[in-house]
Amino acid sequence: MYKCDVKRMDDKIKTFSKFGDAGHGGITRYSLSPEAYMARNEFIKRMEAIGAVIEMDDVADIYATLPGTDPNAKRIVMASHCDSVKNGGNYDGILGVMGAMEVLETIAAENIPHKHPITAMIWTNEEGSLYPPAMMVSGIVCNDYLPPAIAKNFKYENMMASKSVLDGATTFGEMLEKSPHKGDKKNRLNPDQYEAMFELHIEQGPILEDAGNEVGVVDCVLGMFNYRIKFYGFAAHAGTFPMAKRNDALYAAAQALCYIHTEVDKLNRPELVYTTGEIVCHPCVHTVIPDYVDFSIDVRHEDPKVLEQVMNILKSLPEKTWAGCKCEIAEQWKRDTVYWNKELVGYVKASAEELGIPHQYIHSGAGHDAQFASYMLPTTMIFVQSKDGLSHCEPEYSTPEHCTAGASVMLNAVLKVDAAK
């Protein structure tokens, strides 16, 4: 069994944390930004230093490949992203890139034999923080393999027209044309040239830490759906209109949200998670009774039957009375549970066992580029412990030791694929 180097990993963590440093311990590193270019150029510099061949595709994904002894063998790829959310942390996404780099650096430093070419890859615009949606470019690259209901949301021409959330005018396509990392479409990830894909990531939750385990053997990405719950009342003056005659849309929404929580909690599914993260209130004036309110509901679970139970609760809402207001529900999108390739999952678990690293099976509640890639070629993920379960925020932290443990598991799992194929 081979082990990656914690000193090299620590150096990468410290170096990449400078690119987009927000001044509070975290980063803001939007895709196609100068900060992202700095991180990408550092990746290229370090990978060229160990003899990796650099390629880029038409949507600015970057591939660094160490050739194998068999020129006809397919590549084994390790991929993640280097862009972040606003005021995000130094690990989400970029750990998968640094881990892939560490695997290649270890192979080069220890002259580890391998017949397959082994590739470290950076996906473009996973977060979608500046140019929505999230997982944009993996949605483009994998589009022909995605379920139609998902593929339609990632059409190339629509993605190129995505506008900056900052100025509302600059498009992703315009910035892509200016990118020094825009290459050729023929270099895209594809099943003809690639054997399998791994993605290393922080857990983004507290499960591993609570269990005292360092590494998560990820078996799936949870199924989920997102709905909007809408309420229609009427506006009137806050100081003059009697309470008994009001149809207050915000009060109606508050009643319904409490009802949802009560009814969903009765299902007694501790592993079920659901969130209202966005609310719209009109006219949103402190002297006016709201006439329209809608809020989001994001629901995630592995079992489609459990998701259906929650769906039935939501579908009952329009049949009830909510402070005299009309209620409507509208599906935004949904996805089925995506299970990782069992053979690759087995290699990850075997590697963790052989290395003596405390580990467990775990689900992913969040979406990742690997999720879309899994429709194209065998794919799996590896998690490492997140301190206090925090992610998408500046206190996000994973120790260099945990990050290195995850990279070591990935290295040995990759070598198992290389030997098996």
Side-chain angles (χ1 to χ4, degrees):
M1 301 300 291
Y2 296 95
K3 292 185 179 181
C4 293
D5 187 88
V6 68
K7 291 183 179 179
R8 279 199 306 257
M9 178 63 79
D10 187 49
D11 174 66
K12 285 190 280 289
I13 293 169
K14 291 175 179 176
T15 299
F16 280 90
S17 69
K18 298 174 184 177
F19 307 133
D21 181 359
H24 317 97
I27 57 167
T28 297
R29 191 162 60 218
Y30 294 135
S31 191
L32 303 183
S33 68
E35 295 79 13
Y37 293 157
M38 288 189 283
R40 286 161 160 258
N41 289 336
E42 182 72 15
F43 170 84
I44 292 171
K45 180 183 76 174
R46 292 187 181 224
M47 293 295 90
E48 286 182 332
I50 62 169
V53 178
I54 305 297
E55 297 168 305
M56 305 170 196
D57 66 23
D58 61 316
V59 281
D61 298 321
I62 306 177
Y63 309 78
T65 304
L66 284 180
T69 56
D70 183 354
N72 298 316
K74 291 185 178 182
R75 299 180 184 186
I76 303 167
V77 63
M78 303 162 291
S80 194
H81 61 98
C82 71
D83 58 309
S84 79
V85 296
K86 182 178 180 181
N87 295 114
N90 295 313
Y91 301 86
D92 179 11
I94 190 63
L95 174 61
V97 174
M98 295 187 295
M101 295 169 66
E102 178 58 32
V103 167
L104 293 192
E105 288 166 345
T106 302
I107 290 172
E110 300 191 26
N111 197 27
I112 300 173
H114 58 98
K115 62 183 178 182
H116 289 256
I118 301 178
T119 300
M121 175 187 173
I122 296 180
W123 286 105
T124 304
N125 200 27
E126 193 272 353
E127 295 291 0
S129 300
L130 185 58
Y131 303 101
M135 304 190 299
M136 175 196 281
V137 166
S138 56
I140 293 172
V141 171
C142 305
N143 203 264
D144 290 345
Y145 303 88
L146 299 179
I150 298 176
K152 66 183 177 62
N153 298 319
F154 294 91
K155 292 182 178 179
Y156 178 86
E157 59 273 18
N158 293 341
M159 298 301 95
M160 293 303 109
S162 174
K163 293 182 179 179
S164 164
V165 300
L166 296 181
D167 65 22
T170 306
T171 68
F172 179 82
E174 290 169 348
M175 292 305 296
L176 182 61
E177 288 301 318
K178 299 177 182 179
S179 171
H181 304 120
K182 185 176 186 293
D184 196 311
K185 185 176 180 178
K186 69 179 177 63
N187 293 329
R188 285 186 184 184
L189 185 74
N190 65 80
D192 294 329
Q193 292 178 287
Y194 289 84
E195 184 71 47
M197 176 178 148
F198 292 84
E199 182 172 357
L200 175 66
H201 208 280
I202 59 170
E203 179 199 342
Q204 302 179 278
I207 294 173
L208 291 174
E209 184 178 50
D210 289 350
N213 289 319
E214 296 181 26
V215 165
V217 181
V218 191
D219 55 5
C220 71
V221 177
L222 296 180
M224 67 173 294
F225 65 78
N226 189 292
Y227 266 69
R228 303 295 300 199
I229 315 297
K230 306 179 181 185
F231 297 87
Y232 301 86
F234 63 83
H237 196 288
T240 61
F241 204 83
M243 297 297 292
K245 297 177 71 67
R246 297 184 180 194
N247 290 356
D248 184 331
L250 182 55
Y251 182 40
Q255 288 181 335
L257 185 57
C258 289
Y259 174 81
I260 291 170
H261 275 251
T262 298
E263 294 303 307
V264 173
D265 288 350
K266 287 179 182 177
L267 299 177
N268 194 28
R269 294 283 188 168
E271 71 280 8
L272 172 68
V273 292
Y274 58 100
T275 307
T276 293
E278 185 178 11
I279 183 170
V280 174
C281 179
H282 181 272
C284 208
V285 176
H286 78 278
T287 57
V288 180
I289 301 164
D291 61 359
Y292 171 78
V293 170
D294 83 76
F295 60 82
S296 64
I297 183 79
D298 176 303
V299 184
R300 308 187 188 210
H301 194 273
E302 179 184 2
D303 189 344
K305 293 180 180 179
V306 175
L307 293 176
E308 185 178 3
Q309 288 179 301
V310 180
M311 185 84 72
N312 289 337
I313 293 171
L314 299 185
K315 288 181 178 178
S316 73
L317 297 178
E319 303 169 2
K320 302 180 183 300
T321 300
W322 306 103
C325 296
K326 177 185 177 182
C327 174
E328 294 179 352
I329 65 173
E331 180 184 300
Q332 301 302 294
W333 55 278
K334 63 182 179 181
R335 73 173 186 229
D336 295 329
T337 296
V338 175
Y339 291 95
W340 300 131
N341 179 270
K342 290 184 178 180
E343 185 178 26
L344 299 186
V345 172
Y347 290 151
V348 170
K349 181 170 175 55
S351 296
E353 289 175 347
E354 292 165 9
L355 287 164
I357 295 172
H359 63 281
Q360 67 182 82
Y361 286 115
I362 193 170
H363 305 327
S364 174
H368 302 277
D369 290 317
Q371 173 189 329
F372 287 168
S374 70
Y375 291 100
M376 177 191 285
L377 70 163
T379 302
T380 198
M381 293 188 72
I382 301 162
F383 281 172
V384 300
Q385 190 182 116
S386 299
K387 185 175 180 358
D388 299 325
L390 298 178
S391 180
H392 277 206
C393 58
E394 294 187 328
E396 173 185 281
Y397 180 71
S398 294
T399 68
E401 290 76 16
H402 288 155
C403 294
T404 307
S408 295
V409 170
M410 184 162 66
L411 165 61
N412 287 279
V414 164
L415 293 175
K416 288 180 185 298
V417 176
D418 181 70
K421 301 298 180 181

